Amino acid sequence: MLTPPDSTEADQSKAPSQPYPQPHRQHHIPTSKILSCVLCAQRKVKCDRKTPCSNCVKAGATCIPTVPNPPRRRKYRVLGGEEDLKLRLKRYEKLLLSFGMSIQELDSGVTAETRRPMTKAMDDLSIGGRVTASRDEQLWVPLSEDILEGSSDDEFLEVIPDDLLSSADESSFLFPMMALHIDLTMLHPSQVQIFQLWQAFVDNVNPLCKIIHAPTMQQKILQASGNLYDLSKPMQALMFVIYAFAVTSMNEQECERMFPGEHRSSLLTKWRYGAQRALIAADVVKTTDIVVLQAFTLFILCVRATYDSQSLLILSGVAFRLAQVQGLHREALLAKKTVFEAEIGRRLWWQLIVLESREAEMSRVSTLTDPRQWDTKLPANINDSDLYPDMREPPKDHNGTTEMIFCLLRYEVGQFQRTSPALNGSWQLFANQSIPYAQKEAVINSLESILQQKYLQYLDDVIPLHFLSLRVSRAFRNRLRLLSLHPRKNPSRTTLMSPHEKSTLFNLCLEIIQTDNDGHRKESIQKYIWHINAQFQADAFIYLVNELKAFPVGDSADRAWVQVLEAFNYRPELLSGGGMRNELVTAIGNLILKAWSARENAYVRMNQALPEGAMPMAILSLKALRIKPGTELMEFQGDFSSEEDLSQGQSTDAFHRSPQIVTGDGDDMTMDVNTVDWAYWNELIHNYTEAAATESAGGQDRQR
């Protein structure tokens, strides 16, 4: 039996009879409430509300249940009219002044239209330019009887409305709304479900992040799940983030099996809200607790597909600065920590380097990650079992693969950028069209040699994490080659490319799309699909389709159409819109239809049947969307000469809006691969739409 801890807080909320709340009860108000016994109420300690309760049993006292007050209809009202309200406000001002707080004179012109419940008014009251936080709540204890009739310390918000759950947004971190007393304990799942979510996080998410030590954290979660009412604020924040990230990594069917009757979207809404509220309660914007910073970092990674790029830029910048405050950016400061803390700090720092530089590139601003301002070493190539809190000597790196393989591959690329004399701290070499391709290829081969010697030679693609690591490594090298070959900086270069260069670029784009399809197709890495779904090489895809419009037949075209049509199976947002605006979906769809029409016409002229036989479902769907009345996706107006621009280089920075790869300007260090910022593509297509109205249709014929 768990013994409730003592508490001296006057507004201590009382725990329900179970050690954790059941999910199916959280949206229903209990028909009756079991109150604390008389002795526990007098002592102001938590009562387990059993008969007799554990506290009375230990004290050898008679346990007398508290008789509940008769139920009354709860309503908010102003007593005594407006004059009475003015008197009460004056009294509250005097009480505030008695505590030494300076406030501005309150406006007495309160009307019926602007009046709101007194509880919300008191919670929103600004004192000295700052909103009162939880630590100031004891100030209101003497006023509770006047403000709320029949209120008690049991009256925390027991049912969180759906509109409140969905109200949390990215701005809440910097400007939190503290208007409600919410007991977040009610949002925790059952103990069994906590362990199921933890296991999903360990299997699906942790191998790709590695900023927490799984064995140590598992023990903490085991202890915390047994007494959710005694959680520390940092631990509560981390647990809610783990719930949210675990559900993010699961599909609808997996969520239904784990939480019968609940939809994945509602689970995400609930636990992202809980994570945000818990982080705010933990003072995330000024924390010096590494657990809070770990939770905050995981939260940003979790909501990348939900928050806009500018908000993510701000939040990742806050996390980066918090890491600097905690000394994670200097080896001299890490040396003052324990071996365990220093190694976890290095893992967290490098993850933040990737995250902040990624978001900086998405927003096209300079990154905070100036290599001259930090010297943190790469994390050790070790397993979590090699690391424990009490160790005195640093662990030795393994020769070969460990649990850190995926993360280290990405970090090694960043380290190469920092230290390679040829790069001089940026990727601008590859975007510079005046530098011969052979020189760029030599740098790529040098990087490939380092990765092969340290990691790739030990990988076994039968192991899911190894397969994904090989895919990411190959995708990054191909992305550098695409940056070197793609004529984005010099549109006229398209006509100057040799047939060999054009063929190389076409095959490179085909390999990139095929690699992406392989990741979706392989069953063993479906647990990492949340990461793969965030990666899409849109520039390669568009260049490939544009070439298919110009060269619709042949063996290369046949192979390319197989991959393009398969990509539609894994990228339904290309049909339905998903998170993209209609202009982008329509533009890509029109490009596909024009390329397919060119293919059909070519086979008609040759008097041959299409190799695909019947019209593919993706093409049928795209056509249906353009003729169905009332559809969201309306026909794109204009001759779309901008489709030529997509392959000839007028997209310039758009392709390098891809946040996890090199930037067109080469100033930022990014170590992820293949992500595309759909919001920026919306702007791109809009600009092309305007260009299409003034530019002539078509373009020069190109020969491979």
Side-chain angles (χ1 to χ4, degrees):
M1 180 180 297
L2 296 173
T3 303
D6 292 342
S7 174
T8 59
E9 293 184 1
D11 62 343
Q12 182 74 37
S13 63
K14 305 230 178 359
S17 59
Q18 293 180 329
Y20 45 78
Q22 299 296 326
H24 67 274
R25 295 183 55 195
Q26 58 195 8
H27 294 294
H28 299 280
I29 300 176
T31 56
S32 63
K33 183 185 295 184
I34 301 176
L35 302 179
S36 303
C37 69
V38 174
L39 182 60
C40 289
Q42 291 175 347
R43 296 176 58 199
K44 295 183 179 180
V45 297
K46 285 186 178 179
C47 180
D48 60 9
R49 308 184 190 200
K50 296 180 179 180
T51 306
C53 73
S54 59
N55 291 334
C56 290
V57 171
K58 289 182 179 180
T62 302
C63 187
I64 304 174
T66 301
V67 178
N69 295 325
R72 67 176 72 193
R73 182 179 179 183
R74 296 294 300 276
K75 63 179 180 179
Y76 295 103
R77 57 193 177 94
V78 178
L79 302 178
E82 192 166 299
E83 292 300 320
D84 184 75
L85 176 60
K86 293 178 182 179
L87 293 174
R88 289 172 181 270
L89 289 175
K90 288 182 180 180
R91 180 190 172 195
Y92 301 153
E93 285 186 39
K94 291 179 181 179
L95 287 171
L96 290 173
L97 292 173
S98 69
F99 281 86
M101 296 184 179
S102 175
I103 64 173
Q104 297 179 351
E105 183 178 357
L106 299 177
D107 183 9
S108 61
V110 181
T111 63
E113 291 76 11
T114 59
R115 188 177 295 125
R116 60 179 177 173
M118 288 299 297
T119 50
K120 186 173 182 181
M122 299 309 294
D123 282 330
D124 284 348
L125 184 61
S126 177
I127 300 177
R130 297 179 59 185
V131 176
T132 56
S134 58
R135 62 178 178 272
D136 299 322
E137 288 175 357
Q138 291 185 353
L139 173 65
W140 305 108
V141 173
L143 312 180
S144 59
E145 294 181 0
D146 292 325
I147 298 174
L148 292 176
E149 290 190 38
S151 65
S152 71
D153 57 356
D154 283 328
E155 291 180 352
F156 275 70
L157 188 61
E158 296 180 6
V159 179
I160 302 180
D162 291 337
D163 58 345
L164 181 59
L165 285 175
S166 59
S167 65
D169 58 25
E170 50 268 43
S171 63
S172 299
F173 284 110
L174 302 180
F175 305 101
M177 296 298 294
M178 303 296 290
L180 292 173
H181 298 278
I182 298 176
D183 184 5
L184 293 178
T185 307
M186 74 181 74
L187 294 180
H188 285 279
S190 69
Q191 191 172 31
V192 172
Q193 291 167 337
I194 288 176
F195 289 124
Q196 289 175 328
L197 289 169
W198 165 248
Q199 192 60 51
F201 176 86
V202 170
D203 292 341
N204 303 349
V205 178
N206 194 50
L208 309 188
C209 302
K210 297 301 293 181
I211 64 173
I212 64 174
H213 187 245
T216 303
M217 189 55 59
Q218 182 163 304
Q219 292 299 318
K220 292 181 179 179
I221 290 179
L222 176 65
Q223 297 171 3
S225 63
N227 186 8
L228 295 173
Y229 297 94
D230 197 27
L231 280 178
S232 66
K233 291 180 179 180
M235 191 64 192
Q236 176 151 267
L238 183 58
M239 289 181 70
F240 274 119
V241 173
I242 287 173
Y243 304 157
F245 217 151
V247 173
T248 299
S249 71
M250 297 160 59
N251 57 38
E252 190 70 49
Q253 293 72 27
E254 291 170 328
C255 290
E256 176 64 26
R257 286 195 296 269
M258 191 178 296
F259 302 94
E262 295 204 53
H263 294 291
R264 179 176 179 270
S265 58
S266 64
L267 294 172
L268 281 175
T269 299
K270 175 173 60 177
W271 285 326
R272 284 176 180 173
Y273 172 84
Q276 192 173 23
R277 294 292 305 192
L279 284 166
I280 292 171
D283 287 332
V284 63
V285 295
K286 55 181 179 180
T287 186
T288 57
D289 192 311
I290 194 170
V291 175
V292 178
L293 183 55
Q294 288 171 320
F296 189 36
T297 304
L298 288 172
F299 182 85
I300 299 172
L301 292 170
C302 177
V303 299
R304 283 184 300 177
T306 305
Y307 286 7
D308 64 85
S309 59
Q310 291 188 358
S311 297
L312 290 171
L313 172 69
I314 299 301
L315 295 180
S316 62
V318 171
F320 183 82
R321 291 304 190 192
L322 290 172
Q324 288 181 311
V325 170
Q326 296 187 25
L328 306 186
H329 64 305
R330 292 294 186 188
E331 279 297 325
L333 298 175
L334 289 171
K336 299 178 181 179
K337 302 178 183 292
T338 66
V339 171
F340 179 84
E341 292 171 342
E343 186 59 28
I344 295 299
R346 293 185 187 98
R347 294 184 181 186
L348 182 54
W349 174 258
W350 275 91
Q351 183 64 242
L352 285 170
I353 288 289
V354 174
L355 179 61
E356 198 281 331
S357 59
R358 170 192 184 275
E359 302 307 335
E361 185 171 359
M362 287 188 70
S363 299
R364 288 186 293 176
V365 300
S366 298
T367 179
L368 298 175
T369 60
D370 185 347
R372 297 168 295 181
Q373 302 300 320
W374 56 278
D375 60 5
T376 304
K377 297 188 299 185
L378 286 174
N381 184 24
I382 58 175
N383 297 309
D384 278 357
S385 58
D386 301 318
L387 191 65
Y388 52 92
D390 297 331
M391 67 189 314
R392 299 296 183 86
E393 297 294 331
K396 294 182 179 180
D397 280 8
H398 288 266
N399 290 322
T401 62
T402 65
E403 298 164 358
M404 288 290 296
I405 180 62
F406 181 85
C407 293
L408 284 175
L409 273 172
R410 298 162 68 200
Y411 304 160
E412 193 73 52
V413 172
Q415 186 78 331
F416 178 81
Q417 184 203 27
R418 293 181 67 209
T419 59
S420 172
L423 296 178
N424 194 28
S426 78
W427 300 109
Q428 192 167 355
L429 168 77
F430 298 97
N432 190 339
Q433 298 294 337
S434 64
I435 297 178
Y437 177 74
Q439 182 177 341
K440 302 175 184 179
E441 185 67 21
V443 177
I444 296 174
N445 291 336
S446 176
L447 172 60
E448 188 171 8
S449 176
I450 293 174
L451 298 179
Q452 180 69 27
Q453 180 182 359
K454 298 184 70 172
Y455 309 107
L456 299 181
Q457 65 172 319
Y458 303 106
L459 296 182
D460 182 358
D461 62 2
V462 176
I463 301 174
L465 185 61
H466 291 191
F467 179 89
L468 183 64
S469 300
L470 284 167
R471 173 188 174 276
V472 167
S473 174
R474 185 183 307 117
F476 189 86
R477 299 194 303 272
N478 286 341
R479 188 64 177 82
L480 288 178
R481 292 185 172 101
L482 179 61
L483 176 60
S484 300
L485 290 169
H486 202 294
R488 61 182 52 83
K489 287 292 184 181
N490 185 4
S492 63
R493 185 175 180 271
T494 302
T495 59
L496 302 177
M497 293 175 66
S498 67
H500 174 72
E501 287 178 322
K502 291 182 179 180
S503 178
T504 300
L505 181 56
F506 180 89
N507 291 327
L508 179 62
C509 292
L510 178 58
E511 182 181 352
I512 288 172
I513 301 305
Q514 182 174 352
T515 300
D516 185 77
N517 289 339
D518 290 343
H520 282 86
R521 190 186 311 116
K522 195 171 183 63
E523 184 65 28
S524 63
I525 64 169
Q526 291 307 298
K527 58 185 178 181
Y528 305 133
I529 202 69
W530 64 271
H531 177 81
I532 298 174
N533 280 338
Q535 321 293 315
F536 185 48
Q537 196 82 262
D539 48 356
F541 184 82
I542 291 176
Y543 183 89
L544 189 66
V545 174
N546 201 77
E547 288 293 287
L548 289 174
K549 184 162 66 73
F551 303 96
V553 297
D555 292 340
S556 295
D558 292 345
R559 290 187 291 110
W561 270 111
V562 170
Q563 298 302 324
V564 167
L565 294 173
E566 185 177 0
F568 273 87
N569 295 331
Y570 306 127
R571 303 286 179 182
E573 65 270 16
L574 294 175
L575 292 172
S576 64
M580 300 179 287
R581 278 174 46 187
N582 293 344
E583 293 91 340
L584 174 61
V585 180
T586 306
I588 293 179
N590 286 345
L591 181 61
I592 292 286
L593 290 179
K594 289 175 183 285
W596 182 258
S597 178
R599 183 170 174 80
E600 285 182 322
N601 294 335
Y603 274 94
V604 168
R605 289 193 297 268
M606 294 187 300
N607 198 24
Q608 296 181 11
L610 285 166
E612 292 81 9
M615 185 175 293
M617 184 58 65
I619 303 299
L620 288 172
S621 298
L622 288 171
K623 288 188 174 183
L625 285 170
R626 281 152 179 77
I627 62 176
K628 181 179 178 181
T631 181
E632 289 184 348
L633 306 179
M634 304 304 294
E635 177 61 52
F636 201 64
Q637 299 299 319
D639 56 22
F640 214 82
S641 61
S642 54
E643 291 165 3
E644 303 295 332
D645 301 336
L646 286 174
S647 66
Q648 291 182 7
Q650 294 185 22
S651 56
T652 309
D653 296 329
F655 300 122
H656 302 288
R657 182 68 170 153
S658 304
Q660 296 187 9
I661 188 61
V662 293
T663 168
D665 296 328
D667 294 330
D668 300 330
M669 180 176 69
T670 51
M671 290 154 278
D672 262 336
V673 188
N674 294 345
T675 299
V676 62
D677 177 16
W678 291 116
Y680 188 75
W681 276 95
N682 294 336
E683 177 186 347
L684 172 69
I685 297 300
H686 177 71
N687 293 338
Y688 287 163
T689 306
E690 295 179 348
T694 57
E695 295 180 3
S696 60
Q700 296 181 354
D701 291 335
R702 300 178 304 281
Q703 296 183 1
R704 188 174 297 109

